[in-house]
Amino acid sequence: MAQTDTDLIESYLRRQDEAAFLALYDRHAPAMFALAHRLLGGQSPDAADALQDAWMRIVTRLSQFRGESTLRTWLCGFVINCCRERVRGPIFEAEVDRPAPPMSDVGLDLERALASLPPGYRAVIVLHDIEGHTHREIATALQIDEGTSKSQLSRGREALRRLLSSPGPRTR
Amino acid sequence: MNDDDLVRELQHLPKEKTPPERVRAAVARELGAHRRRSRGRAAWRVAVAASLLAGAFLLGRFSAPARAPQAPAREFALLLYGGASDEVAGDRVSEYGAWAARVRREGRAVSGERLDDESWTVGGGSNQMLQGFFIVEARDAEDAQALARAHPHTKYGGTIVIRPVGR
């Protein structure tokens, strides 16, 4: 029977069982990598670096996990921070005046459309619509206010719809 | 496409993606390095404690120093910044402990701790990592600085900040 996250954490913290820590990595890293990949606009090398940075921090901070959220949510917090640090400029701040990308005459599939969005829109759509976070959680994670998160979501969805509805063949 | 349809499509996207193997390898290496650092910290504490105990044994007691500094003594904190390496080598731990023992043999009270790597910052940040500290008895700031200059931490690229302990 597979060990629970709690069992693995305890095994690592109490008995320095490094195999238990790597079992946590194997269990959660694929979801964390998918999140990093989307937050960073589909750039896999950057996403891999962000994932690695996140786990370097988790090695020393796992003892701080208090069980107030699921372990997956807590771990993803590190990914969001590492992604936020990697992107240059105020891209996770309000982008209310930033224009949506120009319409292409070739339809984009959903992943590519998502990757084409401005980073602020993309972050909120990924965290809210794909990962299921509330606006309050997003506001804390991205260091914006809830109102900004809501307006980014609304504008981001509008921009995404425009990209998806462009004429041309669509692939999924 | 309305919001509900869009969200439904987004939620159908794959939730996982296989990361490159090099990330797992890096995590495994960091686990080993963390384990070695932890052992080094434990060895440092043992070395400081052992040096204090040895000093106390030689002086024949476990509390007040055998010979107090000539002028009324104050306490100073020696804050050890930077100078970190992946491993705290046995020689370096012994050197730090030997320094503490020498200070103790001079009749000064001294205690110290190595700090864990975890840290939390409130307010403005600092670039340098505080590695540990000693609280030592000294006549005055000059005396405390002389003690700090004799400490091996700067030999390993570290900085020692001296602060008087509040009275």
Side-chain angles (χ1 to χ4, degrees):
Chain A
M1 190 166 141
Q3 289 182 284
T4 63
D5 285 346
T6 305
D7 292 337
L8 292 171
I9 291 171
E10 192 164 318
S11 195
Y12 173 66
L13 292 177
R14 291 210 179 160
R15 294 183 286 277
Q16 289 79 52
D17 181 355
E18 290 173 16
F21 189 96
L22 289 171
L24 287 172
Y25 173 90
D26 292 336
R27 182 176 292 175
H28 296 287
M32 295 164 71
F33 186 51
L35 172 60
H37 187 81
R38 287 201 178 103
L39 287 176
L40 294 176
Q43 300 300 311
S44 281
D46 287 342
D49 289 343
L51 179 69
Q52 186 170 319
D53 289 345
W55 279 97
M56 294 298 108
R57 297 177 191 188
I58 293 163
V59 166
T60 56
R61 297 183 197 177
L62 188 60
S63 59
Q64 295 174 28
F65 176 62
R66 296 283 173 263
E68 290 158 353
S69 65
T70 64
L71 180 64
R72 175 72 58 88
T73 298
W74 188 77
L75 294 173
C76 285
F78 287 91
V79 170
I80 294 167
N81 281 337
C82 290
C83 289
R84 191 161 48 83
E85 290 164 13
R86 297 195 84 75
V87 187
R88 287 186 288 278
I91 57 112
F92 279 132
E93 294 170 7
E95 295 178 337
V96 292
D97 294 327
R98 184 166 172 170
M103 282 172 56
S104 166
D105 56 3
V106 177
L108 295 177
D109 68 19
L110 188 51
E111 286 277 25
R112 287 169 61 201
L114 201 51
S116 301
L117 289 176
Y121 293 166
R122 183 171 64 236
V124 178
I125 288 179
V126 168
L127 293 174
H128 186 275
D129 290 346
I130 299 177
E131 300 291 325
H133 291 288
T134 64
H135 285 295
R136 174 176 285 188
E137 290 166 341
I138 293 167
T140 302
L142 301 184
Q143 297 181 3
I144 57 178
D145 55 57
E146 278 188 58
T148 302
S149 177
K150 289 174 185 169
S151 65
Q152 296 274 64
L153 181 66
S154 174
R155 290 188 174 90
R157 284 174 176 172
E158 195 182 304
L160 193 56
R161 270 194 288 267
R162 274 204 299 276
L163 286 168
L164 292 171
S165 62
S166 299
R170 292 187 60 194
T171 56
R172 253 185 238 275
Chain B
M1 189 189 287
N2 63 29
D3 277 359
D4 288 343
D5 292 337
L6 182 60
V7 172
R8 232 185 327 268
E9 295 234 357
L10 286 165
Q11 288 177 348
H12 278 131
L13 291 174
K15 296 278 198 303
E16 297 193 343
K17 188 174 172 62
T18 305
E21 181 54 33
R22 55 121 165 146
V23 176
R24 193 182 195 277
V27 172
R29 281 194 303 273
E30 179 62 16
L31 282 171
H34 180 64
R35 175 178 19 93
R36 288 188 293 275
R37 283 194 300 268
S38 298
R39 285 185 187 156
R41 283 194 291 274
W44 179 331
R45 287 197 193 103
V46 167
V48 171
S51 68
L52 294 175
L53 201 57
F57 178 75
L58 289 171
L59 290 168
R61 54 189 181 184
F62 289 90
S63 54
R67 179 180 62 82
Q70 289 175 357
R74 288 187 60 188
E75 284 186 319
F76 289 83
L78 271 54
L79 307 171
L80 278 54
Y81 288 91
S85 60
D86 283 348
E87 294 188 35
V88 180
D91 286 348
R92 186 170 162 188
V93 168
S94 301
E95 281 186 74
Y96 284 41
W99 174 88
R102 274 197 305 278
V103 171
R104 187 73 177 76
R105 282 196 295 275
E106 289 173 10
R108 305 171 189 270
V110 59
S111 61
E113 286 289 348
R114 172 76 167 83
L115 299 176
D116 276 351
D117 287 345
E118 295 169 321
S119 69
W120 300 264
T121 302
V122 177
S126 170
N127 287 335
Q128 285 201 301
M129 185 75 162
L130 182 64
Q131 301 296 336
F133 63 90
F134 287 92
I135 306 292
V136 297
E137 207 173 41
R139 282 187 300 278
D140 50 32
E142 267 190 42
D143 189 30
Q145 287 173 70
L147 288 174
R149 276 193 290 274
H151 193 286
H153 188 66
T154 53
K155 190 170 83 173
Y156 295 101
T159 302
I160 302 179
V161 173
I162 301 116
R163 300 282 299 271
V165 175
R167 295 192 249 222

